[in-house]
Amino acid sequence: MRVHVVSDVHGNGTDLARAGDGADALVCLGDLVLFLDYADHSRGIFPDLFGVENAHRLVELRTARRFEEARALGRRLWGDIEREGGGRMAVIEEAVRRQYAELFAAFPDRTYATYGNVDLPHLWPEYARPGTTVLDGERVEIGGRVFGFVGGGLTTPMKTPYEISDEEYAAKIEAVGEVDVLCTHIPPDVPELCYDVVARRFERGSAALLDAIRRTRPRYALFGHVHQPLAPRVRVGATECVNVGHFNATGTPYVMEW
């Protein structure tokens, strides 16, 4: 059995169309949407709407953790659009729909996917084809192994679209139960896995996820979210915890074989 795993696609439809080549199944751990590329400020919904200079400024403010100033910039820019008669969510959804149309069409027939923190879950049923199974707080058997899926992220000052409370996230982890492979978008709350060496900040990991790993001892815990982690993998007890990589940048899936 061969399974390819991707996360943080962020608009990379070209490589996504090849990500399942040679695999029996593809697993996607979310963040299909590209709102703003921190490596190339000309790419994404934000620069398309507001220009590269504003995108550069927003990245500067967020990287410096000046979140209130970043939000003030966003309010000013969105205010201009709203004064011209455009609704913020309508404009965003239109842009996300264009990305989803391309990205869901790139999934191979046997795809298992969950949401990232920048995704819009309510749109997924419109674009997921019959060969794509969407799971969140659920489990499925793939090649004789049980995979559990938990999507989304925890609340942060960034206020990305699919952030939920610690309690709601923990309930989804509990619903999954004991599995062979635990698939999430965010990492367990292990400092080496949560620290992004380029952004120079800790992303939020889940304490409930870490507790479940210690308690249920899956073979693997797979995740993404942290684009440039201090450590791409850490062993927690019997479990190999693996950041499957920033697919937008690498274009290469993580490969599992058994």
Side-chain angles (χ1 to χ4, degrees):
M1 189 72 185
R2 183 181 175 98
V3 172
H4 291 180
V5 188
V6 301
S7 185
D8 299 86
V9 174
H10 293 303
N12 187 352
T14 300
D15 289 321
L16 185 62
R18 299 189 292 263
D21 290 356
D24 297 293
L26 177 70
V27 167
C28 179
L29 304 182
D31 271 10
L32 297 181
V33 173
L34 179 61
F35 190 73
L36 175 57
D37 190 328
Y38 277 53
D40 180 354
H41 302 167
S42 69
R43 296 182 64 240
I45 295 171
F46 190 91
D48 287 349
L49 291 172
F50 304 119
V52 176
E53 286 304 314
N54 283 318
H56 179 67
R57 180 59 177 158
L58 184 68
V59 170
E60 277 188 336
L61 292 172
R62 286 183 171 178
T63 301
R65 303 186 66 80
R66 293 157 61 184
F67 295 118
E68 187 49 49
E69 291 176 70
R71 284 192 286 271
L73 173 63
R75 285 193 296 270
R76 177 175 64 79
L77 295 171
W78 283 111
D80 292 341
I81 284 184
E82 289 163 354
R83 280 189 292 274
E84 293 171 3
R88 180 184 304 199
M89 284 311 302
V91 170
I92 291 174
E93 285 200 9
E94 181 182 354
V96 170
R97 285 177 184 278
R98 289 194 294 270
Q99 292 188 11
Y100 278 169
E102 174 192 1
L103 296 167
F104 277 91
F107 281 144
D109 282 341
R110 197 177 181 193
T111 295
Y112 302 90
T114 196
Y115 316 113
N117 61 293
V118 302
D119 285 311
L120 300 182
H122 70 278
L123 294 182
W124 281 38
E126 297 181 37
Y127 296 94
R129 299 180 301 174
T132 297
T133 302
V134 179
L135 303 114
D136 188 17
E138 299 163 283
R139 44 199 280 159
V140 67
E141 185 177 314
I142 305 174
R145 289 185 176 178
V146 178
F147 284 63
F149 291 80
V150 174
L154 298 174
T155 54
T156 72
M158 304 281 278
K159 298 185 183 298
T160 52
Y162 190 44
E163 294 182 353
I164 61 177
S165 70
D166 290 68
E167 293 76 16
E168 185 178 350
Y169 195 88
K172 291 197 294 183
I173 292 287
E174 187 66 25
V176 165
E178 294 188 14
V179 295
D180 298 304
V181 184
L182 185 50
C183 298
T184 59
H185 178 67
I186 63 174
D189 190 17
V190 175
E192 298 93 325
L193 299 174
C194 295
Y195 188 73
D196 189 309
V197 297
V198 174
R200 294 179 297 174
R201 66 169 180 259
F202 287 96
E203 302 290 352
R204 280 210 68 190
S206 168
L209 173 57
L210 179 58
D211 179 66
I213 289 168
R214 288 171 170 159
R215 181 166 35 86
T216 65
R217 300 164 60 87
R219 292 171 183 253
Y220 296 95
L222 307 180
F223 50 88
H225 188 56
V226 183
H227 293 176
Q228 297 89 198
L230 179 62
R233 60 198 303 147
V234 166
R235 194 160 189 88
V236 175
T239 303
E240 193 74 14
C241 300
V242 182
N243 185 319
V244 301
H246 180 204
F247 187 78
N248 174 56
T250 68
T252 303
Y254 175 75
V255 176
M256 301 182 72
E257 291 184 298
W258 65 93

